[in-house]
Amino acid sequence: MYQYTEVDQKLVDERVEQYRDQTRRYLAGELPDEEFRALRLMNGLYIQRQAPMLRVAIPYGLMSSTQLRKMAEIARTYDRGYGHFTTRTNIQYNWPTLESVPDILAELAKVQMHAIQTSGNCIRNTTTDPYAGVIASELEDPRPWCEIIRQWSTLHPEFAYLPRKFKIAVTGGPEDRAASQVHDIGLHLVKNEQGEVGFEVLVGGGLGRTPVIGKQIRPFLEGRDLLSYLEAILRVYNLNGRRDNKYKARIKILVNAMGIDTFREQVEAEWAHIRESDLRLSQSEIDTVKAQFTPPAYEAPAADSALDAQLAENETFRIWYERNTVEHKVEGYRIVVVSLKPYLQAPGDITDIQMEAVADLADRFSFGEIRATHHQNLVLADVKQSDLLEVWKILDGNSLARPNIGTLTDMIVCPGFDFCSLANAKTLNIAEQINEKFEHVDYLHDIGDVRLNMSGCINACAHHHVGHIGILGVDKKGEDWYQFTLGGSSEADASLGKVLGKSIAADEVANTIEKILLAYIDLRESEAESFLDVVRRAGLNPFKEAVYAADH
Amino acid sequence: MPLIIDRTLVAEDKWTTVAEDQAIPADGAIILPLAQWLEHHDALKGREVGVQVNGDDNLDQVLALNGQVELIVVDIPAFTDGRGFSIARLLRRAGYAGQLRAVGDVTRDRLAHLERCGFDAMLVPDDRFESETLNAFDEVSVRYQGGASVTRPAYPQS
Ligand code: HEM
Ligand code: SF4
């Protein structure tokens, strides 16, 4: 993975001291609240219902075991012994004090980490496929490009005060595990007719109050032109995006208001000025970054097939293997997904001890690297098949092996009312209710992939619009109610879910999901027809009947 | 108000800002709003004239000031309004070499960004200025991106 140069290290060190001084000036009353707010947000610090919340950047979701141990140490020293992985593959701490944040940032800088631009109206952490570099269908590893974008976007002097936050996601092939179509910019590595690899560029996707799927602005962009093209898009947005209303300030609103064709014309006109500038990447620059992401030293597959015997002998292991591991492009290896969705715990939460356990596993069995996923889980990307049984045992001993990846209980859930001052409704109690209801339901496994996303308000932090089942908390006269949407997807076939009907009372949420799933089992033509396929084929009506029929 | 030019506090400012509804003084160096300048520029030939613009002005008209005036002032109504950064970059790219001055909600924690985008002059409100403010320019010395003066990004150098 990418190792900091002296220059990179100097930047984060200086940034820590700069922020230390900003905090000092704020506490001394020299810096107005509103200005400090903008500055602390650009260092990942929110002030929330319970306490400040610090969001630390994990660039494109990739971290070393040393970094993960540092995160554990911070959780123990400055927080209450846990952290929370987010849908943007960052980690959040819910209980640090404002005064301690400069020290936390200094600790992070020691392991090449920071919290720069994890919040605020600037370019945020770029995200990508958690299976980058290890999945067979990929055209090219997207992470070198993410690193190039990270450097270009970090402390960019022109784009620190955009109309609104700005998120970029990159995918390396036809599959989309980064929700790229609901990002401000989505970049897809594609091949053109000449067989060259470059980017398809999407712009103007996003969720929140106005969910929009990104539109194609360019079918093919040469890799060397990546930064000039991004800069052109950002400049047009910075000059023209709305600043009078924060709910209309995202680039998606600008693109819709101008129309994609006019927007494209403006971007291309600006691009013509800068395409041949110093922003053009030379092949040697690209190669230098790519050289930091070379594959690890894989061993030739062992001749013994102990795995088959182990799977045959141990059913719990086999279920975990089938659900929580993924085919690796190198024979003899497997991608292991570490479930952060244990029974009755907040999705994405992880304790300091669990972090250390995962770091140890990474060192012993996966070349010392860990990835975070958009679905709030972790990944050990390079585990030898012969090590799987042992990895599973250790994960299981740390409550990290619940075999639920991709199933209903692998929910994306935002913190909701318990932690978030913007929430309309609680989410964590509903997640518990769902866990309790479905823990022992045996049909859950043959239901296959179901994506459930639940947000506590319209800001849509948990991407409810693109869940196969989306749940949105709403406040009705002081009570929590929940609106359901069906048929969303954040993958290559991205779509926005449609509202099922009137919202559901808090204690009926799990029962409603059950009705929906039973209706699906009834409707499907075979086990191969997934939940999403059925919703797309049959539409919402049969599900409406199943859920609301008794009311009539 | 403290005026910083090229990172140094300057005592003298010869320019007088003329408000929209104010008569144009008969002599001296004046700063006019863009609309006034567009209306009167023929009559002002030979005088020292600067023009004040903001993010709502027509960008083509702003860029056309290049070569016409000695001073361009960009008004930043709120520190969160980042349009001024892009306006400065575009003016410098167009070849404008005169003084480029930021006024309005211009305070310490934006000075380095303003400079990198091409501003050489910044007018800081009285109550927000201390001598220590001038330290803001070098807090972070690493520049990953090119800016108005150094266009080369940092990483190829490393
Ligand atoms: C607890 C404090 C939190 C607050 C106050 C907060 C606030 C917000 C707000 C206001 C938005 C909407 C911005 C807009 O549409 O322009 C937003 C979007 C978002 N939040 Fe959060 N959030 C919080 C926690 C989280 C967590 C825990 C996650 C991850 C699980 C998260 C992930 C996101 C994402 C991915 C979006 C973008 C949705 C989009 O594309 O529009 N947030 N957040
Ligand atoms: S969706 Fe709403 S409730 Fe949930 S974290 Fe985001 S802002 Fe808070």
Short mmCIF file of all heavy atoms in Angstrom, two decimals, chain B residues 65 72 81 126 128 149:
data_model
loop_
_atom_site.label_atom_id
_atom_site.label_comp_id
_atom_site.label_asym_id
_atom_site.label_seq_id
_atom_site.Cartn_x
_atom_site.Cartn_y
_atom_site.Cartn_z
N LEU B 65 -11.56 42.49 -17.92
CA LEU B 65 -10.85 43.60 -17.25
C LEU B 65 -9.34 43.47 -17.41
O LEU B 65 -8.60 44.45 -17.27
CB LEU B 65 -11.19 43.62 -15.75
CG LEU B 65 -12.62 43.96 -15.37
CD1 LEU B 65 -12.84 43.73 -13.89
CD2 LEU B 65 -12.94 45.40 -15.75
N ILE B 72 -7.73 44.87 -9.49
CA ILE B 72 -9.03 44.19 -9.45
C ILE B 72 -9.27 43.74 -8.02
O ILE B 72 -8.40 43.12 -7.39
CB ILE B 72 -9.10 43.00 -10.43
CG1 ILE B 72 -8.92 43.49 -11.87
CG2 ILE B 72 -10.44 42.27 -10.28
CD1 ILE B 72 -8.85 42.38 -12.91
N ASP B 81 -17.95 31.65 1.11
CA ASP B 81 -18.22 31.80 -0.32
C ASP B 81 -16.91 31.63 -1.09
O ASP B 81 -16.11 32.55 -1.18
CB ASP B 81 -18.83 33.17 -0.58
CG ASP B 81 -19.26 33.33 -2.03
OD1 ASP B 81 -18.74 32.59 -2.89
OD2 ASP B 81 -20.11 34.19 -2.31
N ASP B 126 -10.44 45.30 10.82
CA ASP B 126 -9.66 45.71 12.00
C ASP B 126 -9.72 44.71 13.14
O ASP B 126 -8.70 44.31 13.69
CB ASP B 126 -10.20 47.04 12.54
CG ASP B 126 -9.79 48.20 11.64
OD1 ASP B 126 -8.61 48.21 11.22
OD2 ASP B 126 -10.65 49.06 11.35
N ARG B 128 -10.21 41.72 13.28
CA ARG B 128 -9.73 40.36 13.04
C ARG B 128 -8.23 40.33 12.75
O ARG B 128 -7.70 39.30 12.35
CB ARG B 128 -10.50 39.72 11.87
CG ARG B 128 -11.98 39.54 12.13
CD ARG B 128 -12.27 38.72 13.39
NE ARG B 128 -11.58 37.44 13.39
CZ ARG B 128 -11.99 36.39 12.70
NH1 ARG B 128 -13.06 36.45 11.98
NH2 ARG B 128 -11.32 35.26 12.75
N SER B 149 0.82 30.56 -9.04
CA SER B 149 2.20 30.86 -9.41
C SER B 149 3.01 29.59 -9.69
O SER B 149 3.68 29.48 -10.71
CB SER B 149 2.87 31.68 -8.31
OG SER B 149 2.63 31.10 -7.06
#
